[in-house]
Amino acid sequence: MARPRRTLPCVLMRAGTSRGPFFLKEWLPEDPEVRDQALIGAIGASDPLQLDGLGGNSSLNSKVAIVSRSSQPDCDLDYLFAQVGVGHQSVDTRPNCGNMLSGVAPFAIEQGLIDAQEGTTTVRIYNVNTGSRIEATVQTPGGRVTYEGSARIDGVAGTAAPILLNFLDAWGAVTGALFPTGQRREFILGTEVTCIDAAMPLMIMRASDLGLSGRERPAELDANSELLAKIEAMRREAGLRMGLGDVSASVVPKPVIVSPGDTPESIVSRYFTPHRCHASHAVTGAIGVSTAFALPGTVASGRTRTPGRHPLAVVHPQGQIDLDVQIEGSADDAVVTKAALVRTARKILQGELHLPDYVFPGLHEPLAQERVQSYPQEPITIIVPTSAGGGNDTMARVLARKLGPDLGQTIAVDNRAGANGSVAAEYVAAAPADGYTLMFGYIATHGINPAMQTLRYDPLEDFAPIGLIGHSPSVLVVPSDLGLKTAQDLWRALRQSEGRMNYASAGEGTVPHLAAEMLLRQHDAAAEGVSHAGAAPALNALVRGQAQWMIPSLFSALPYLKTGKLRALAVAAPERLATWPEVPTFAELGLAALDLTQWYGLFAPARTPRAVVERLNQSLNRVLSSPETASRLLEDGVQVQTSSPEALTTHVQAELQRWRGVIDAFEIREVTESIL
């Protein structure tokens, strides 16, 4: 495969209440898989903060529009929308986005795909995602696009030129029917809902049926874990009934909670994305809500409306979206044939987008034989999947200081935190297989993450194992000033607190998170998790009293145990530790399932020459066998362990099998969120 271009033309636009890059189709790679990799690099998807791309730490700012001349005889443009992940490398082209749609026509006119007319220019757009058609009318005085004007939309500061969007055939575009279940109202898990496909498949619920007013703030709804769990269970059932199949990994259908508006022409809506409440409202969602509001027999129905045009408003947390809805027919035969609304857009910048090389995995040339024989000839980098200052970082730097002289080269440590280690793993998996980019892998990257979610790397196929580094048992700790002396004290406190004793974790899907959840389920107790970007900040929060207990690695907790700020109540080890003989093991407490030992290993990209892997393995084992290194790590709670590359492969295979069983047994799943 030819190496894709890493410099692409790009226009960054604010479109409606969303923002993202706009591309002509020919600017991107033709192959869909390579194209998606380019979009991931453009947004900086792997990092939750999206620092290495154009994203803005939110799904609202992780959207992409791809535009071309239309393949449809009755349309001018094709518009493909892509929702790119936040904190995970994914691209979803199944849904539509009406906000990004508002930027398509002005972008296409300025790129020469459409000739501008005097005054206004109307363009018919074919949405490739859903197969629907939309007419967009843009202000073009003097035959040029203008973004300046007096139109105002809620959620955007200032004013701009109006862009009129007229949805022509969005009804049933995804499922083939406006009411895909064949009913306008039905019960799911005891709550009456309307399942509707109008610009976006929706599952609409009345706020009153959920014990809500319907005017709650998004943060208030997001904090209601019982409500979110119920809505998600209902949404999955709705997906099956609507013919969408298993939607557990999909963002559609979207849940919506509605309540009466202040006037007969308005309805209040809280739109979920689907796992969080939207800060305002999606345009496509407003089409669906207004359709259900305008037609009789739904859970959102307003007053009976006659055929003709009706100005309606969907009220959301930041204002409202005004729509003109065209109704034909009456009573049960009434249908919505058009829905128009005003949006605005603004071009932010236009230029060249530079993509990092690591977004195109598997495209590197083989390492020349002469370079294999003389390896290493240049500095080596160890990629650490967690932030600086944490346990993994400390161990990696101890090794780097010893491996460098043994190999005769400088070794740098590069921290690439994010997505529980997936950011670093994806980076190394895509790096040249030459032995100069290595990974400090651990239990999360090569055990837990692959068991919890679909990843863009394979922990076995995409890496060449070099060798084990060591292991550190998990330990149950509490602040010393909390007054809890034993694990039994904690069990009683948890049961009596009625969910008020928070636990600290190093992020969703980490050992501290999973171990805490497993402990709670085995004791039939409840507690909220307080997630942090790594074990070090989580332990700092625990010491400051922001949480009451945690199950970190002994390596991470040891400095706090030595200073007396934390007290150990149990340890995940086959026998009591010699340095802490008074601390029982989890097995002694009847919690053998919590015997979670964190482990660490060194990996290279797959296809790294065997001679390079063996050279690295020999050097690693020499360093680990050094009494100085072993003593240094043991002081910090890590027992070193040498191995062959084959032994590390066997270990990873066993860990993957073990964690799949743990995840299934405790029914723990990671939730991926997306906002459209």
Side-chain angles (χ1 to χ4, degrees), residues 318-341:
Q318 293 189 9
Q320 68 183 43
I321 297 176
D322 297 310
L323 305 99
D324 274 343
V325 173
Q326 179 76 31
I327 298 177
E328 295 183 4
S330 58
D332 290 343
D333 294 327
V335 294
V336 174
T337 57
K338 290 183 181 180
L341 69 159

Side-chain angles (χ1 to χ4, degrees), residues 399-440:
L399 290 175
R401 286 194 292 269
K402 298 296 183 181
L403 281 172
D406 192 270
L407 290 167
Q409 284 292 343
T410 301
I411 297 184
V413 173
D414 183 1
N415 298 89
R416 291 182 177 262
N420 297 340
S422 295
V423 172
E426 290 163 0
Y427 179 89
V428 175
D434 55 12
Y436 293 100
T437 302
L438 308 178
M439 180 178 181
F440 188 96

Side-chain angles (χ1 to χ4, degrees), residues 221-562:
L221 295 172
D222 291 344
N224 191 334
S225 57
E226 291 185 6
L227 173 68
L228 295 181
K230 177 176 182 178
I231 290 176
E232 175 60 13
M234 293 172 61
R235 188 185 76 88
R236 295 188 183 190
E237 175 61 24
L240 294 173
R241 296 188 188 187
M242 297 171 77
L244 297 171
D246 180 4
V247 298
S248 57
S250 175
V251 297
V252 293
K254 302 297 179 109
V256 181
I257 297 174
V258 296
S259 57
D262 296 327
T263 71
E265 312 307 324
S266 67
I267 184 170
V268 177
S269 177
R270 294 296 183 263
Y271 181 86
F272 289 77
T273 63
H275 305 295
R276 286 187 178 179
C277 184
H278 200 300
S280 54
H281 208 288
V283 168
T284 47
I287 298 294
V289 171
S290 63
T291 298
F293 182 45
L295 297 178
T298 77
V299 299
S301 296
R303 67 183 182 184
T304 302
R305 304 185 191 278
T306 59
R309 288 181 57 191
H310 294 270
L312 304 177
V314 175
V315 180
H316 56 76
Q318 293 189 9
Q320 68 183 43
I321 297 176
D322 297 310
L323 305 99
D324 274 343
V325 173
Q326 179 76 31
I327 298 177
E328 295 183 4
S330 58
D332 290 343
D333 294 327
V335 294
V336 174
T337 57
K338 290 183 181 180
L341 69 159
V342 171
R343 296 278 88 186
T344 65
R346 185 175 79 84
K347 181 167 68 174
I348 298 173
L349 61 85
Q350 178 171 347
E352 289 186 339
L353 176 68
H354 295 263
L355 300 176
D357 189 52
Y358 61 79
V359 303
F360 298 119
L363 300 177
H364 301 288
E365 298 296 328
L367 191 62
Q369 186 59 36
E370 58 269 20
R371 292 199 68 201
V372 173
Q373 294 173 349
S374 58
Y375 174 85
Q377 292 181 307
E378 58 189 70
I380 298 167
T381 299
I382 296 178
I383 304 298
V384 176
T386 52
S387 56
N392 291 2
D393 176 68
T394 302
M395 276 184 277
R397 293 181 188 276
V398 169
L399 290 175
R401 286 194 292 269
K402 298 296 183 181
L403 281 172
D406 192 270
L407 290 167
Q409 284 292 343
T410 301
I411 297 184
V413 173
D414 183 1
N415 298 89
R416 291 182 177 262
N420 297 340
S422 295
V423 172
E426 290 163 0
Y427 179 89
V428 175
D434 55 12
Y436 293 100
T437 302
L438 308 178
M439 180 178 181
F440 188 96
Y442 73 124
I443 191 172
T445 58
H446 287 72
I448 298 174
N449 286 1
M452 288 191 69
Q453 58 181 311
T454 301
L455 302 171
R456 291 190 70 251
Y457 71 89
D458 187 300
L460 293 170
E461 298 297 327
D462 291 337
F463 294 91
I466 295 170
L468 279 162
I469 295 169
H471 52 83
S472 180
S474 296
V475 57
L476 172 62
V477 295
V478 297
S480 296
D481 58 7
L482 201 59
L484 303 177
K485 302 295 180 63
T486 67
Q488 288 79 7
D489 291 341
L490 177 61
W491 309 159
R492 285 192 293 270
L494 282 172
R495 287 191 291 268
Q496 294 169 3
S497 71
E498 297 181 348
R500 293 189 298 275
M501 290 187 67
N502 296 332
Y503 68 83
S505 86
E508 187 172 347
T510 60
V511 167
H513 163 240
L514 296 179
E517 287 297 319
M518 292 163 66
L519 185 148
L520 289 170
R521 296 188 191 195
Q522 289 198 339
H523 280 277
D524 195 24
E528 290 294 328
V530 181
S531 184
H532 300 270
L539 284 162
N540 285 330
L542 185 66
V543 170
R544 292 195 303 268
Q546 295 173 352
Q548 288 71 53
W549 58 285
M550 183 179 176
I551 309 180
S553 69
L554 179 60
F555 183 94
S556 299
L558 200 54
Y560 302 92
L561 292 171
K562 288 181 176 179

Side-chain angles (χ1 to χ4, degrees), residues 182-205:
Q183 304 178 69
R184 297 196 178 197
R185 290 198 308 268
E186 58 195 291
F187 283 91
I188 296 181
L189 301 182
T191 300
E192 194 169 34
V193 305
T194 290
C195 297
I196 189 170
D197 177 8
M200 176 70 70
L202 305 177
M203 179 191 71
I204 304 177
M205 304 157 283

Side-chain angles (χ1 to χ4, degrees), residues 154-170:
D154 291 326
V156 177
T159 62
I163 298 172
L164 181 66
L165 299 180
N166 191 2
F167 288 77
L168 304 177
D169 54 7

